[in-house]
Amino acid sequence: MHILLTNDDGVAAPGLQAARQALASLGRVTVLAPDRNWSASGHAKTLHRPLRVWDTRLLDGTPALATDGAPSDCVALVALGLLDEPVDLVVSGINPHANLGHDVTYSGTVTAAMEAVIAGLPGIAVSLDTPDDLSIPIDFDPAARVAASLARQIFDHGFPPGILLNVNVPHLSIESMSGVQITRQGIRVYRDALVRRDDPRQRPYYWIGGDTPTGVDEPGTDFWAVKGGFVSITPLQLDLTAREALPQLQGWDLHL
Ligand code: MN
């Protein structure tokens, strides 16, 4: 089995290295990741400049490929023939923050897995719900084990085309986790605030700041599962049609 591993935090990210180590037990792992942080960059396609790809190494010395493209570009490059051998699965992560509810539309981690679906490959996005307290060291290993066992399931059972898995893992040891929940996408509650400051030449500039987002704690959702200490696995599709709105719109008096 040949796995493409990418992320949105950049090729030097520790979550990427932890995922590679765990996935290596399943087969060949090719790492192609952005050379910088693309978190919250959404689903990107670089069309207006060339893409470069070069050899690099992960923190542990393992050979990897880096690019100046976006996470979804990494997947497109490989799907379009960058490597000498095709890949069977795309894994994206491990992101050092959860990607729950509306986050999936912002997340470079998740949109890399969306690009896998567009390329006809199974895709898994893996994110770790780390605490806000920066003094707590982050342990990616339990989430890496979850990613590897899920990849094993996909290899054993196959997976329907057109679907990606958005996986969120609580920041707990495997033994302390409550279990696994298959969930639906929940609702994020953002607490963004616009911060206006003045630069040294008294011109204003802006940051989107504010507090860490929270979410609606509704049973069956991704947010609810992770909050309860469960691994959350949400199957996602790229068809975003609001089907329940179709009859209402069809009843409008729309004509040219
Ligand atoms: Mn990220």
Side-chain angles (χ1 to χ4, degrees):
M1 285 298 168
H2 187 189
I3 300 168
L4 170 65
L5 174 63
T6 190
N7 74 352
D8 77 350
D9 305 301
V11 73
L16 184 74
Q17 178 180 287
R20 196 213 63 82
Q21 287 171 352
L23 292 169
S25 63
L26 301 176
R28 179 181 171 197
V29 181
T30 296
V31 178
L32 170 57
D35 63 348
R36 69 200 77 163
N37 193 336
W38 284 78
S39 295
S41 66
H43 199 166
K45 183 176 270 186
T46 300
L47 295 179
H48 301 288
R49 61 175 176 84
L51 291 168
R52 306 279 180 183
V53 177
W54 59 94
D55 291 313
T56 185
R57 287 184 186 277
L58 302 184
L59 297 177
D60 63 2
T62 316
L65 296 167
T67 178
D68 53 357
S72 34
D73 289 324
C74 294
V75 178
L77 282 162
V78 169
L80 296 172
L82 177 79
L83 305 176
D84 51 1
E85 271 182 68
V87 299
D88 306 295
L89 170 70
V90 174
V91 177
S92 178
I94 300 164
N95 196 61
H97 301 283
N99 279 305
L100 303 166
H102 305 331
D103 292 343
V104 301
T105 62
Y106 293 110
S107 167
T109 308
V110 176
T111 51
M114 288 179 178
E115 189 68 22
V117 161
I118 288 172
L121 293 166
I124 309 175
V126 186
S127 305
L128 181 60
D129 187 32
T130 51
D132 286 341
D133 183 350
L134 295 176
S135 69
I136 299 171
I138 299 176
D139 182 5
F140 286 99
D141 287 343
R145 283 171 59 187
V146 168
S149 83
L150 197 54
R152 164 63 64 200
Q153 293 290 315
I154 286 180
F155 291 150
D156 288 350
H157 299 294
F159 198 67
I163 293 171
L164 61 137
L165 297 180
N166 183 33
V167 182
N168 283 277
V169 182
H171 191 245
L172 299 167
S173 66
I174 293 277
E175 298 71 33
S176 308
M177 290 181 200
S178 310
V180 178
Q181 292 279 353
I182 308 301
T183 57
R184 67 180 189 277
Q185 193 182 327
I187 295 173
R188 262 299 201 199
V189 177
Y190 295 102
R191 298 185 288 173
D192 294 347
L194 191 63
V195 179
R196 181 193 189 276
R197 291 187 183 146
D198 287 336
D199 73 12
R201 292 173 189 83
Q202 281 73 54
R203 291 173 308 194
Y205 65 91
Y206 301 91
W207 282 99
I208 296 176
D211 294 324
T212 309
T214 175
V216 177
D217 189 9
E218 199 175 278
T221 62
D222 49 10
F223 181 82
W224 163 84
V226 170
K227 198 176 170 197
F230 291 93
V231 172
S232 167
I233 301 176
T234 311
L236 298 179
Q237 59 192 9
L238 271 66
D239 179 356
L240 302 178
T241 310
R243 291 178 199 285
E244 62 277 17
L246 291 174
Q248 187 191 355
L249 287 169
Q250 281 155 354
W252 286 8
D253 186 23
L254 295 171
H255 49 78
L256 299 178

